Amino acid sequence: MAARPTRRGLLLAGAGATALAVGVGWTARDLIRPSPTRPVPPDAPAGDERVVSRPSTARGRSVDFYTAVPDGHGDGQGLPVCLVLHGASTTARDFPGLGLGRFLTDAVRRGAPPFVLAGATGDRLSWRPTGRDDPQRMVREELPAWCSERGFDATRLAAWGWSMGGFGSLLLAATWPGLLRAVAAFSPAVAPDDAVFAGVDRLRGTPLGLWCGRQDDFLADVQALERALPEPAARAEYADGGHDFRYWGSVIPAALDFVAAALAAPPGPN
């Protein structure tokens, strides 16, 4: 008999998501998909924003590779990079439609040090290896290499993700301590028995920003993660909102400011 779904297999009614039965190795956390609500981008141009196809050896297929350079900074030569890890309801091809390039330009126009956004499609694997498909290795090895080919400074990296991508960003930082100068995680799909909690001590030294809506089904677990951190989070903010871009769009400016400051700062002891 199939196992009955837990509360993690069901999203709060306001989020409009569904849980699907899939193959071995997935958890209910991976199946939560937010509603397709789009953020409202600021009144700013997107700059040099591209989506191209790149062959990924780590994933064994071609993937969409997204980059955004803030308007006024040409092709982004020499700028540091924030890796973007998507959630279950979006892929890298959706990033222009979410207005990420416009949010980036707006951040720089408000005074944030310039940087670029870069992401690739990881599908719904929760940014972990599944068989021969390894989106985590793609982010760790191939994305920085693709960024270097574009002339970006891939020695200065941060990560930003939402839901499944928030989990993936935190797991990336815990798996390779010192790789990232900061992580911004929106409503990360974490649970007390998962790999992020298991490796929480390895997050020491990486500035973390956590944002989660008070009506989000993950709120209790995100707050439990904050309490479990080996040192206080650089930012931890909770406001009214659910597991969707209506809330996440409202905190994108704060997250980009946080990432920009970390990328511009001198490297830490790691």
Side-chain angles (χ1 to χ4, degrees):
M1 176 181 290
R4 296 184 65 180
T6 67
R7 71 177 182 88
R8 293 192 166 281
L10 303 173
L11 199 59
L12 295 177
T18 59
L20 304 176
V22 293
V24 175
W26 289 65
T27 68
R29 178 195 60 239
D30 305 319
L31 306 177
I32 291 180
R33 295 181 295 167
S35 69
T37 304
R38 299 292 182 181
V40 178
D43 184 15
D48 186 345
E49 190 172 41
R50 310 180 192 181
V51 179
V52 301
S53 180
R54 294 294 302 253
S56 168
T57 300
R59 298 213 57 216
R61 69 194 69 190
S62 291
V63 298
D64 289 327
F65 171 47
Y66 168 88
T67 56
V69 178
D71 185 61
H73 290 270
D75 58 6
Q77 291 285 314
L79 294 183
V81 179
C82 178
L83 306 173
V84 185
L85 279 67
H86 62 74
S89 67
T90 53
T91 71
R93 184 160 291 276
D94 298 309
F95 292 174
L98 295 176
L100 300 194
R102 294 171 62 182
F103 278 106
L104 178 62
T105 294
D106 177 69
V108 173
R109 288 185 172 182
R110 288 187 289 101
F115 64 99
V116 302
L117 298 174
T121 296
D123 291 306
R124 295 176 183 164
L125 303 181
S126 207
W127 300 98
R128 295 172 295 182
T130 301
R132 295 183 178 179
D133 192 345
D134 193 344
Q136 187 184 65
R137 184 163 71 89
M138 176 187 70
V139 174
R140 169 66 181 89
E141 298 177 6
E142 295 177 325
L143 258 180
W146 299 340
C147 287
S148 292
E149 290 175 11
R150 287 283 304 280
F152 307 150
D153 182 0
T155 68
R156 292 185 288 162
L157 296 174
W160 163 41
W162 52 90
S163 190
M164 181 182 75
F167 168 87
S169 298
L170 292 165
L171 185 60
L172 187 69
T175 304
W176 287 283
L179 172 68
L180 303 172
R181 294 198 177 191
V183 170
F186 291 176
S187 311
V190 295
D193 58 351
D194 69 16
V196 170
F197 272 84
V200 70
D201 287 342
R202 294 166 63 85
L203 293 171
R204 184 183 300 276
T206 301
L208 303 180
L210 300 173
W211 287 263
C212 191
R214 293 195 184 101
Q215 288 74 46
D216 194 309
D217 203 31
F218 285 109
L219 176 63
D221 289 337
V222 173
Q223 291 177 326
L225 176 65
E226 182 192 355
R227 293 191 297 270
L229 293 174
E231 56 193 10
R235 294 187 69 163
E237 300 181 6
Y238 308 99
D240 286 343
H243 199 79
D244 56 42
F245 275 103
R246 183 177 291 108
Y247 167 71
W248 297 333
S250 71
V251 294
I252 288 176
L256 295 186
D257 289 348
F258 169 71
V259 165
L263 288 171
N270 290 333

